[in-house]
Every structure is written in C-alpha cells, then in structure tokens.
Amino acid sequence: MSDNILEVKNLNINFKTFAGTVQAIRDVSFNLKKGETLAIVGESGSGKSVTTRSIMGLLASNAVIEHGEILFKGQDLLKESAKEMDHHRGNDLSMIFQDPMTSLDPTMTIGKQVAEPLRIHGKISKEKALKRAQEVLELVGIPNAKNRMKDFPHQFSGGQRQRIVIAIAIVNYPEILIADEPTTALDVTVQAQIIDLMRELQEKLETSIIFITHDLGVVAGIADRVAVMYAGKIIEVGTVDEIFYQPKHPYTWGLLSSMPTLDTKGAKLSSIPGTPPDLLDPPKGDAFAPRNPYAMQIDLEAQPPFFKVSDTHYAATWLLHPDAPKVQPPAPIVKRAQEYAHLMQTGAVDTPSEGSQN
C-alpha cells in the first residue's frame, strides 16, 4: 500500500479569458507523504498557488481542469461533489493564506473566528468550541490567550495575526495543511518564528504540509522535499539536500544564485534575465530555453522529459541527456547554496526570541 497521503497526477488546468485560453498548469504530477513537508518553489505566475487551490477545490470560476487526478488517500477529489468538498475542507484539508488581514474578519472577535470551523465542521457546542479555540491559540503561541479571545484582529501585531490564521487552519487538526507564502508579508525575524512554529506543530499534530514560496532560503528551514515550478510545470524535484547541494536544472541554479547570504552584504545579487513565457501560447520546447544560457537547439524543439538523478531526485532538462555536453552549476552558486543550507539546517543563525509584539 502506498504511503502517499496525496497524489497529484497529470494535472492540466486552463483559464478562459477574453484574450484566449491560458494553459496555467501543464501536466503536473507530485506526491505528499504522511508527516512530511513538500515545498513548491517558483517565481510569481509559475502555477504554485493554482495547483494547490485545485486541491482545496477553490479555483476561480473561469478555471477548467482539462484532465488529471488529485488523490487524497486514494480518493479522487476532482470527482467529489461540492458537499463532499465542503466536508474535506477544514476537516481533512486546510489552507493558510499569505496576508492574515484578508483572512480575518475585522468585525469578529478572535475567539469566535478560531472556533468557527469547529462549529461548521465539528458539530460541537459553542462552549466546547471556544475552549478548543483557546487551547489552539495557546498552542500557536498567543500570549495570554484566554484574555485575548475577545480582542479583534487590529489589536494584534502582524506576526500574531499570522499565528491566529494558523490556529484557524489547524483547529480541526487537518491531515494536510497548505501554506501559501505564509511568511512573505512578515519581517525576517517573525518569518523565522513562524517557520519554527510550523515545524513544531507538524511534530505535535503529524500533519503533512505543502509549503508554497518563491524564496528558496525559507525552504531550507522547513522542507523535506522540494518541487521547483516554472511556467506551469514542475521542472525539478528532490530532497532539500539534493536541491541545495546538487541542483540540476538551470532554472534552479538561477533561483539559488539570487539568494542572499551573510557574506553578500553590499554585493550585487544575480538575477535570471528575461521573463517567463506567455502561457496563452506556450513554447514548443523547454519553456525556460530563452532565459537559459546553456540552452541547446533541442531545447527549442522539444520539451525535456524527467531524467532520473537518484531515487528521489528528478529534473526535466536536456542537459541530463547522455549526449548533452557536461555542464556544472557555476561554482559561486553552489558555494552560496551550500553555505546557506548549512546555516539554516544546523541552526547556526540564531533566531531572536519572540516578544509580546510579534
């Protein structure tokens, strides 16, 4: 029996627009194991959020799932009714969004907002729901949670509001938690605290996490595996160590090269030249070819298949073909990635303790 709690297979999603059909998600496949954190990384517009919103059944009205499967414990969510998906959301699947102020109702107290999913999905009394809400607020680190249950969102700091959003997402102890760039709007100190909190919650609740981000530096601190997306496709997948220490796709090299480290103060960071392709008319070959300094003629003519690097590491680049020239990542990129990954994974960078305003 598979140990995957979630399997996405050959997912294709289009958006119907006035300008034409946008091929937003193109043959995306990945899996999620129980208790692991999978990070999905890529630039804005790469398809990260659309992919995960399809898991939740929260796509826009002009989205069309052309074909594919989303299997939760072997059950295809795409074949579920609206009522069945309502049951899954909150009970089995939950999502944390990027901006907590757009997720919280400014007119409702925090206690009621955290308890609301329990009332909707759990069918328990108001008193029991509020008691659980207080326990979860304490779990996510809200100081003096009992007395702050009657406070409103504007009375909390940005870091505390994000903790409250996390509390709402986990109050029903979902089996899969999707975090859509949950630290982007926060300063780096609070970012580190939220990452630490999510790691702690995963250990306590044994929740599987899909973590969406454009920042590979964040990935080093939380992920077990990484899927790199570009132009609606996954182009590399591997363990966090494989992606940081042995990246194979030139796009992954570009993402790694743009990461700052403690030694890059005052230095100019690298950037990936050009822009992503127009998915109204996707290119025939490798979508990254126009921005790839190592592109070959075949990159313009055919999409590369996934080449196996190890049992856990695959990359869709023609550079891994046996007949391709041997190209290695530029040395500065590898050095920067290794230094950063080492710092994040060994805890060499101290995280300031949280004060009452975080």
Side-chain angles (χ1 to χ4, degrees):
M1 184 176 178
S2 173
D3 60 350
N4 295 323
I5 191 171
L6 182 75
E7 295 178 87
V8 175
K9 296 184 177 181
N10 307 116
L11 186 64
N12 284 259
I13 302 174
N14 295 342
F15 285 87
K16 305 297 183 181
T17 71
F18 290 114
T21 299
V22 177
Q23 299 178 42
I25 302 300
R26 304 185 295 145
D27 203 33
V28 164
S29 298
F30 63 89
N31 60 68
L32 178 70
K33 294 179 172 58
K34 184 173 177 59
E36 81 164 340
T37 297
L38 171 70
I40 302 180
V41 183
E43 294 170 286
S44 296
S46 61
K48 309 183 300 295
S49 294
V50 173
T51 299
T52 50
R53 283 174 180 266
S54 69
I55 298 169
M56 296 291 296
L58 296 174
L59 290 175
S61 59
N62 64 331
V64 178
I65 298 177
E66 295 294 338
H67 62 83
E69 296 177 304
I70 301 176
L71 304 178
F72 172 66
K73 294 183 171 180
Q75 188 173 5
D76 191 353
L77 297 179
L78 299 181
K79 295 179 180 178
E80 299 281 68
S81 67
K83 184 177 181 180
E84 288 169 331
M85 283 305 300
D86 283 342
H87 173 79
H88 284 303
R89 284 192 294 266
N91 283 320
D92 305 317
L93 315 169
S94 195
M95 194 163 189
I96 304 167
F97 296 96
Q98 182 177 140
D99 184 358
M101 282 308 285
T102 61
S103 302
L104 297 173
D105 185 337
T107 67
M108 187 185 294
T109 64
I110 291 304
K112 287 184 178 179
Q113 292 192 60
V114 178
E116 189 174 38
L118 291 169
R119 299 284 287 151
I120 294 172
H121 298 286
K123 297 181 179 179
I124 63 176
S125 68
K126 179 180 177 180
E127 291 73 20
K128 288 184 178 179
L130 288 172
K131 183 179 179 182
R132 171 86 72 83
Q134 179 187 326
E135 292 171 352
V136 174
L137 285 170
E138 291 170 350
L139 183 64
V140 300
I142 296 296
N144 197 20
K146 182 178 181 179
N147 293 330
R148 302 215 65 183
M149 291 270 286
K150 295 183 179 179
D151 287 346
F152 293 87
H154 73 273
Q155 295 174 276
F156 294 83
S157 69
Q160 288 176 334
R161 285 195 292 264
Q162 192 60 287
R163 288 172 182 267
I164 292 164
V165 169
I166 293 172
I168 294 170
I170 67 168
V171 71
N172 265 323
Y173 301 150
E175 296 192 62
I176 295 176
L177 179 64
I178 299 172
D180 190 353
E181 306 230 29
T183 63
T184 299
L186 306 174
D187 65 53
V188 292
T189 299
V190 181
Q191 278 187 20
Q193 294 164 1
I194 295 298
I195 294 298
D196 287 343
L197 170 63
M198 293 190 68
R199 280 199 303 251
E200 292 170 7
L201 292 174
Q202 184 179 38
E203 291 176 3
K204 292 177 181 177
L205 305 179
E206 297 184 345
T207 300
S208 303
I209 296 176
I210 299 176
F211 194 96
I212 306 168
T213 183
H214 64 274
D215 185 354
L216 267 171
V218 172
V219 166
I222 192 170
D224 299 303
R225 289 190 301 125
V226 181
V228 181
M229 285 195 76
Y230 182 77
K233 296 178 72 70
I234 290 178
I235 50 89
E236 184 163 10
V237 62
T239 66
V240 68
D241 283 343
E242 288 168 335
I243 296 300
F244 272 91
Y245 291 89
Q246 296 179 310
K248 298 300 181 183
H249 199 287
Y251 178 64
T252 310
W253 299 349
L255 292 178
L256 289 168
S257 71
S258 64
M259 285 192 341
T261 68
L262 296 176
D263 297 327
T264 55
K265 184 178 180 181
K268 184 178 180 180
L269 291 175
S270 300
S271 62
I272 303 173
T275 57
D278 183 356
L279 294 183
L280 283 166
D281 184 24
K284 178 182 178 182
D286 186 347
F288 188 61
R291 307 174 73 185
N292 181 6
Y294 309 100
M296 301 173 286
Q297 184 61 34
I298 192 172
D299 286 297
L300 304 174
E301 299 172 352
Q303 294 184 23
F306 271 106
F307 291 91
K308 181 178 179 179
V309 182
S310 73
D311 288 342
T312 54
H313 190 186
Y314 294 82
T317 170
W318 287 115
L319 290 176
L320 292 177
H321 191 279
D323 296 333
K326 303 303 178 187
V327 177
Q328 296 296 325
I333 293 176
V334 177
K335 185 175 185 296
R336 179 180 289 127
Q338 290 177 342
E339 288 176 350
Y340 201 97
H342 177 74
L343 289 172
M344 294 293 291
Q345 293 172 340
T346 60
V349 177
D350 291 331
T351 301
S353 59
E354 180 178 11
S356 60
Q357 296 302 307
N358 291 330

